[in-house]
Amino acid sequence: MTEIKSSAITENTAPTDTGEVFLSVKNLVVKYITRFSTINAVNDVSFSLNKGETLGLVGETGAGKTTIAKSILRILPEPPSKIFGGEILLHGEDLLRAKPDRMREIRGNRISMIFQDPMTSLNPIERIGDQIAECIRLHVNCPRKEIPERGKLILEKVGIQRERYNDYPHQLSGGMKQRVVIAMAMACNPEILLADEPTTALDVTIQAQVLEMIKELQIEYGTSVILITHDLGIVAETCDSIAVIYAGEIVEYGTAEDIFDRTSHPYTAGLFGSLPGRNKKARRLDPIKGLMPDPSNLPPGCKFHERCRYATERCAREIPENRMLSDTHYTKCFMESGVIR
């Protein structure tokens, strides 16, 4: 895991956006309905993304991060999933009300996604060149005879020799497979890249290379990125803004500097306490006690109160509203003492 360098956050993750909000998620509610239960996956989530910005979605496994990303792309399986409310506005167009043909135009062309596991993203019986070529053929107005050359150029941009264009996925290492998945996602110069834990299965050196490559492609194409991860070290190095997600809700939102230097929600503080670091004097880590609540039976009041060391009786009864701490920073907590750590 990359070590967090809090003192360097302002310098390394200064916002590069233009201030132009072109993606806005408002009051998104998503549930998974089965014969036996209803899973409350995403509960009234709202955020916006500026042009050129990198937004990090951070939280434990099962918090709802991937469901949010798949909702934006409208690729959730129906059933069992169902979007119960909200808006997802791309340049003012509500994607939740777009017809299937319109969404096919948007996917890959304007919004692309890097999925967690490259082996499940790549077809094992098709050459990687054919898979990249399919993305270009479906979404780019390009003469058919020029598609292979364009595909080879994209491979070279992600650090793979053009001679590997006709290789099969099993002939590539894990890091190279991930680069191919990124090449497929960037093949049509999308406006938004949804990166779902793109470095989870990679070793540290390959992680750094993949993140640097995504950053270079983002600068070259002006792409905005939503990065889904549980690695706060990666977030510190790459993200301009951060949404901390717990039990399907954003419990704290702000710039990278806000989240790292002015932590204001007990769950966010707990995530930091679970990390090792050279500068920590404690002999043991301080992990968050307990487990995330069952999404089919969420507790009343604040969803985090059963694990929170600062919880009061009010936390068990009432749901906290978003409390603005600054123009860029808010927290969903009753505690008014400000910075926790």
Side-chain angles (χ1 to χ4, degrees):
M1 179 186 294
T2 308
E3 183 171 357
I4 298 170
K5 301 177 181 178
S6 179
S7 61
I9 286 175
T10 305
E11 178 181 345
N12 291 342
T13 59
T16 56
D17 62 87
T18 62
E20 176 194 349
V21 176
F22 71 105
L23 177 71
S24 181
V25 177
K26 298 181 179 180
N27 307 115
L28 180 65
V29 177
V30 183
K31 300 178 186 292
Y32 293 93
I33 302 174
T34 70
R35 291 176 56 192
F36 308 103
S37 63
T38 297
I39 307 299
N40 301 289
V42 179
N43 306 304
D44 199 25
V45 163
S46 300
F47 62 86
S48 59
L49 183 67
N50 291 351
K51 186 70 175 176
E53 180 185 18
T54 299
L55 169 65
L57 302 185
V58 181
E60 295 171 89
T61 298
K65 307 183 299 296
T66 300
T67 297
I68 292 171
K70 289 185 175 181
S71 298
I72 295 172
L73 209 52
R74 291 270 305 276
I75 56 173
L76 286 171
E78 298 181 11
S81 71
K82 182 175 177 61
I83 297 176
F84 274 79
E87 296 178 325
I88 300 176
L89 303 176
L90 179 65
H91 292 298
E93 178 182 5
D94 190 353
L95 301 185
L96 296 184
R97 288 165 177 74
K99 295 182 178 180
D101 288 346
R102 176 58 179 157
M103 284 307 303
R104 278 192 288 271
E105 294 176 4
I106 290 172
R107 294 188 196 107
N109 190 21
R110 300 181 69 181
I111 307 176
S112 287
M113 187 165 182
I114 302 172
F115 294 93
Q116 280 191 37
D117 184 1
M119 275 311 299
T120 59
S121 303
L122 296 172
N123 188 330
I125 62 172
E126 284 192 15
R127 301 179 191 272
I128 61 171
D130 292 338
Q131 297 183 59
I132 296 172
E134 182 180 15
C135 296
I136 299 171
R137 179 176 57 80
L138 290 174
H139 299 290
V140 179
N141 185 16
C142 178
R144 185 175 291 270
K145 62 181 181 181
E146 296 179 10
I147 291 178
E149 179 60 24
R150 179 164 178 156
K152 292 174 184 178
L153 288 173
I154 293 170
L155 275 184
E156 290 179 333
K157 281 186 178 294
V158 298
I160 297 179
Q161 295 177 334
R162 59 171 50 221
E163 288 76 18
R164 308 300 297 267
Y165 185 80
N166 290 316
D167 285 0
Y168 289 94
H170 73 269
Q171 296 176 277
L172 307 177
S173 67
M176 294 177 74
K177 290 188 187 79
Q178 191 63 282
R179 289 169 182 266
V180 172
V181 171
I182 293 172
M184 292 171 62
M186 300 300 294
C188 305
N189 303 344
E191 293 180 88
I192 303 173
L193 179 64
L194 308 174
D196 189 359
E197 302 199 21
T199 61
T200 297
L202 307 177
D203 61 62
V204 176
T205 55
I206 301 300
Q207 277 187 17
Q209 293 174 16
V210 169
L211 290 171
E212 184 63 28
M213 180 181 56
I214 292 175
K215 188 181 298 184
E216 290 174 356
L217 292 170
Q218 181 183 11
I219 293 171
E220 181 175 352
Y221 295 118
T223 303
S224 299
V225 176
I226 296 179
L227 176 65
I228 299 170
T229 183
H230 57 266
D231 190 331
L232 290 169
I234 289 175
V235 168
E237 293 186 0
T238 60
C239 294
D240 302 313
S241 300
I242 301 169
V244 181
I245 300 176
Y246 183 79
E249 299 178 340
I250 295 179
V251 295
E252 187 169 4
Y253 184 95
T255 65
E257 185 178 0
D258 289 331
I259 300 300
F260 281 85
D261 293 343
R262 294 181 286 277
T263 306
S264 299
H265 195 282
Y267 177 63
T268 311
L271 293 178
F272 287 121
S274 303
L275 296 175
R278 288 196 298 263
N279 298 327
K280 289 188 177 181
K281 296 181 180 179
R283 297 178 63 87
R284 298 179 65 86
L285 298 178
D286 186 21
I288 304 172
K289 295 179 174 61
L291 299 173
M292 191 178 297
D294 181 355
S296 66
N297 186 26
L298 292 173
C302 173
K303 305 301 182 287
F304 186 62
H305 81 266
E306 294 176 343
R307 305 172 70 187
C308 180
R309 66 182 66 183
Y310 306 102
T312 65
E313 292 183 4
R314 182 186 182 190
C315 300
R317 297 193 313 266
E318 301 178 29
I319 298 175
E321 299 290 335
N322 292 336
R323 181 164 55 88
M324 297 302 300
L325 305 174
S326 71
D327 292 340
T328 60
H329 188 194
Y330 71 79
T331 183
K332 197 167 189 176
C333 183
F334 291 120
M335 193 168 55
E336 298 184 2
S337 57
V339 178
I340 294 179
R341 66 179 190 95

